[in-house]
Amino acid sequence: MLRRRLNRLLGRDERIADRRTIYVGHRSGSTNDAIIPPKFCDNRIVSSKYTVWNFLPKNLFEQFRRIANFYFLIIFLVQVIVDTPTSPVTSGLPLFFVITVTAIKQGYEDWLRHKADNEVNKYPVTVIEDGRRIRKESEKIKVGDVVQVEEEETFPCDLILLQTSRDDDTCFVTTASLDGESNHKTHYTVPDTGRDLESLNATIECEQPQPDLYKFVGRMHIYTSNQDPAMRSLGPENLLLKGATLKNTQRISGVAVYTGMETKMALNYQGKSQKRSAVEKSINAFLLVYLCILVSKALVCTTLKYAWQGTPGQDEPWYNEKTQTVKETNFYLKMFTDFLSFMVLFNFIIPVSMYVTVEMQKFLGSFFITWDKDFFDPEIKEGALVNTSDLNEELGQVEYVFTDKTGTLTQNNMEFIECCIDGFQYKYRDASSELDGFCVTDGPVSKLQQKAGREREELFLRALCLCHTVQVKEPIECHDQGDGLMDQVDGLEADGQETSSLQEQRGFIASSPDEVALVKGAMRYGFTFLGLESKTMKILNRNNAVEMYELLHVLNFDPVRRRMSVIVRSKSGDILLFCKGADSSMFPRVRQEEVERIRMHVERNATEGYRTLCVAYKYLSAEEYNQADKGLREARLALQDRDEKLMAVYNQVETGMSLIGATAVEDRLQEEAAETMMALQGAGINVWVLTGDKMETAKSTCYACRLFQRNTELLELTVRTLEDGGRRREKRLHDLLNEYYKKAVLDAPPVKGGVTRSWSSTNQDYGFIIDGATLSMVLNSSESNSSRYKNLFLQICQNCTAVLCCRMAPLQKAQIVKMVKNSKGSPITLSIGDGANDVSMILEAHVGIGIKGKEGRQAVRNSDYAITKLKHLKKLLLVHGHLYYVRIAHLVQYFFYKNLCFILPQFLYQFFCGYSQQPLFDAAYLTMYNICFTSMPILAYSLFEQHISIEVLLDNATLYREIAKNAMLRWGPFLQWTLLSLYHGLLFFFGVRFLFSNPALQDNGQVFGNWSFGTIIFTVLIFTVTLTLALDTRHWTWINHFVIWGSLAFYVFFSFFWGGIIWPFLKHQRLYFVFANMLSSVSTWLVIILLILLSLMPEILLTVFCKPRGSNARQRKLVQSSVGDLQSPRSSARPLLMRTFSDESNTVI
Amino acid sequence: MMASSYNAKEEDGHHSGAASHGGPAVAKSKKPDNTAFKQQRLLAWQPILTAGTVLPAFFVIGIFFLPIGIGLFVTSNNIKEFEIDYTGVDLDSPCYSCAKNFSWNSTTPCVCTVDFTLEQPFESNVYMYYGLSNFYQNHRRYVKSRDDSQLYGDLSSLKEPSKECEPYRKRDGLPIAPCGAIANSLFNDTLDLYHIESNGTVNVIPLVNRGIAWWTDKHVKFRNPGGNNNNLTVAFQDTAKPVNWRKPVYELDPTDLENNGFVNEDFIVWMRTAALPTFRKLYRIIHKKSSTTPTLPSGRYVLNITYNYPVLSFDGRKRMILSTISWMGGKNPFLGIAYITVGSICFLLGVVLLIIHHKYDNRNNSADIPS
């Protein structure tokens, strides 16, 4: 830890330099300079927190930083120091137990970390030093070392790729362990480093370590004798990350740039941000109340004590003299220690064990999510994943769901549907229907049965074949690994709709599934992409001739530009730029006269829920190319602001293109997406769709998922509606917001809270649509209006059944989540997404859920829970969330209840013992009450209780509303429980007290003393508290039976045992045969039975009087409604309406 | 990522075969087991409390409790109890002078006699209690002021009593046996009972001082030091008597070796601290002699009190109680009344519930038909 801090400190110092210089192979760049080897950290990964010798103090320190532990420590210390009624053991033992268990757990975890660290740090690697290959331990690698890595090995540190065994200067890498993307990524050697590493004399300048896996900026100076140093730019494509695995490449060599804790992997390793659940906040509030009760009790007792002692003869009667030391103590000090003693006596009201039990419940309870076989996805062979168990109950409290569209609502399983070339629609029907694979259907421009010129067709298809970053998977591997793994992205498709011609067996690897869909689409039309070999792209055209294009530049895709381009040189020497991208980003950059023809197609496709891309091209003259080439190279070499510079060049190059056509790719809805959304809305959850996609596509998805229904009135607040009026945007925004506010909020019938809001068709449903640009206007408008707009916006949204936010940047998604999270009533939010662009909102929301989708694992890594399919969200919230909430809420209430009625008799007894802090119960009972006698039943309850069965919960989403807004942990139920415990406490004490008005309770005339008194109360207490729980248990598994009856039996057994022996080494034998003697008295039996029955009475009456109407009726209603549900037709996952609509339009024309 | 793989290991360790939390690194078969436990589908009994199920219970409770309550009440009422306060607060009370002139240092005991009349005869065994009021035997300082191992006969504790006994631990350098406030304040009034027959003859009523303490206390928890040493004087040598005692512990009952020293039953009874500031402790038992004559026939009695125990300083009271005993112990109407009340409430509730249940059921049925 210290070292890491030190390093971080040093790192900050270094960062002033802003860059680091690395001498490849520790050879100085220019010969006259002596090397001053810069200090970098070694290649040791230290993820462990403790060492053997600092474990104890450090661990203890960390544990006592928790407020609860600290409180108990204080109580313990008070007991040790001050003369207190209970021995320090009573609170020391539980505390010791808790601390020890936690320490053991943490120690074990740390030991595992040490082991894993050692595994990594001691891993043998090959380092080339002065031409010799030396085996070293991984931790001995220094920055600047040249490291050799074999196939299937992981990289021991971040390396700049210098040399590879492949001919095309590339190597393949899989970063599955870093971000979960299992596809092979291509990395390139630094050009011109030469074949001879021993003579390579170069320095690398690169930025200081930073955690972004996909960013790297650097520069390499290569010194060759008698020449000016050559300079090469370095980017992420040259950087091999620690933790990634080398694939398909025999051997590579690279120079270490970042080592140890400075590698990107280590920098990315960080503790999850601590999310606290609402239940925990409730617990803290209740704790505060109980602390107040505790303090006031102590104060009352202290005051009364001194008042009582004031009357003569009471303070120190002749039979009970004080010791000399007590007499000499200062009066006020005595008063203070008396106060402390009372605190100690009553401290059990705040139980240590509650924290332990809550933690255990959360930890063990979360296993039920991972064990749930309904969450298992046979395709990726994984079930749900729980990253944090702290938030289980939060799943039952969700009020807002923010969902991503692509990959979450939709499958991110792209299928090429149709394209349009020069305004003519080409719809691919089936491979067998037409010989050439082309089928020209309607052009809505009414040129029936016409085709675009063959030249344009081919240009379009070439564009599709060239403008991408798809790689062809090695055919050898195809044979090795069989069909299942043939293509990484589409291989998961189980329906086998792919034709199995030899050509199509070709596997494609790409970071985005759209690209694969497009390349495959082109393949159907006869243009097959054969692969990229040393900067040459090969295409098999329709005439089965191979065309070669030299790849000059790739202008990568980024979400801001929303397009990508390639610059290629054809055989004939023409230099072409192909560009594809979203319509909004393309239309301004092409010649306008072409736009209209295509726009219709694009918009129609978008309304059908397809993802559309426009394709454009332009010829570059040699001069233009040279300029662009220069610009690109310069920008790539820039060390600072490289991204901005690149962007500028890209924007400059990608202008004046001519549009060839557009493509439509279908992204299917997730299974049961509509049902899931319906269920969520039925559960009273507001669903917001946050997507980066365009409005039309997103809207159609919303319709398909039934988020918007046919009768939903859409309130649009987008750039389009803002420009409609022709007035100033600001003004228009203001007007629209007010108008919508009036419509949705003011005119809507008054609603009682969020819970009872009706979702039936009697009310007008509203859907709200906003886009990114407008949202930023709302959020960032002039100071005075901003908060007002925000407020209006929020209120409108809260009254809408669904909200769609399109064209969102990732950060905007988080902004929205944050805004809702901090709005009035601080509702619980849940974000669900599958891609890296959802990470920000997943982290921002109260509960973040990642979908193990195709866009890598970043969302999953940052989520609190990960599921495989959207449909699982329904069960996760409606069943698991509901149950966990009910369980933990009951657990918390019960804990406070049982401790209050445990301590109340103790408090009342003070009035009868001269306020002398005499404990009512024996120390053993005080200690064991929470640990042994009453802990297991509630733990079992909180793990297994199903007050409503899983099926009913699944079928009746409305049940979720019953627990909304923390219903079971509000002050109402808390007061109810508190009253119950007051009643119990008073009953126990006074019942036994009246019995003891004549302490001769045995049939031989002998009398009972104070310990019998306490033991009778304690017995009643144990039985009542346990049976109260039994009454609340609605789901008795054998475990509940075992634990409940077992605890009671254990109590009886323990009492006999504890009182059955004269305990050696114990000062007191107070309970010797007290319990047995107690049971020999008939009166005691009778009073115990009476008191138990009497205390259970209110609970029974309450359930009988209040619930049966509700629960019986409900149960009946549930049965009916579930029957009704079955009858209602299951909606198909496909957007039925849309499909028929589009099909019709096709056939009519 | 590092963390996730640790997680996987850790949880595998805890729950072998629990294919779960693993990060992407763990690539075993992750299909969750389809067991009832893991799927939360364990067979379960799902009781629902309704008026229908609770009703019989209420009636049963009512039916059981009422007779028990009546039985208890009758039993308690049949118990004969006579109580007399002999503290001597009032001027005209016989022990007034003893109470007033009490001094710890007086060598001659003050004796006073109280006359009383029993209206009804006490038929079975009669138990004689002394009762103290406003005496805080349950005060914390007092309760803990004892040394159980000393009383258990432990020799080292005899010589070196526990610190809890302060300030009654040592006296003039010698350890006090028995130490502590409880022992020190042993109730040492002597009560003797005489029956005055109608002809004027005074009969001593034999008071038995055995069987008044818990058997386990007498035989296990309390032991004289040195085991079966017959000579208690030797066993207790080099110890001091408690400050307020008139005689050392080995002279508590010189007539009976089994009842002397720590195992003296009066002492043991006293050592069991009372629960409440007003309490009674068993003093003597008057056994029934023959089946024909009552143990204590009605008539005039004289209670002879050797007044050693001052209570006026802390405004306490002393009582002598004569009581018979039943299977439920001493006289206490509370239990009987409580049982009768609860029983009748249950019965009443049962009736109310029955009515509600009946009405509700009808309503429910009629409501069900149209739907």
Side-chain angles (χ1 to χ4, degrees), chain A residues 21-31 35 144-146 160 162 190-194 196-205 219-225 229-232 234 255-257:
Chain A
T21 308
I22 295 145
Y23 299 91
V24 177
H26 309 291
R27 285 177 289 269
S28 82
S30 37
T31 39
I35 319 175
D145 277 348
V146 177
I160 290 289
L162 295 176
V190 183
D192 310 326
T193 44
D196 191 10
L197 282 181
E198 283 142 64
S199 61
L200 176 68
N201 197 348
T203 59
I204 293 171
E205 265 181 80
R219 190 155 47 183
M220 190 175 202
H221 301 269
I222 302 169
Y223 303 94
T224 37
S225 45
M231 194 154 65
R232 298 281 173 265
L234 304 173
V255 57
V257 283

Side-chain angles (χ1 to χ4, degrees), chain A residues 61-75:
Chain A
F61 175 72
E62 301 229 324
Q63 288 205 49
F64 284 121
R65 282 203 324 201
R66 291 189 60 180
I67 292 184
N69 284 347
F70 189 69
Y71 165 79
F72 294 116
L73 180 71
I74 293 291
I75 291 287

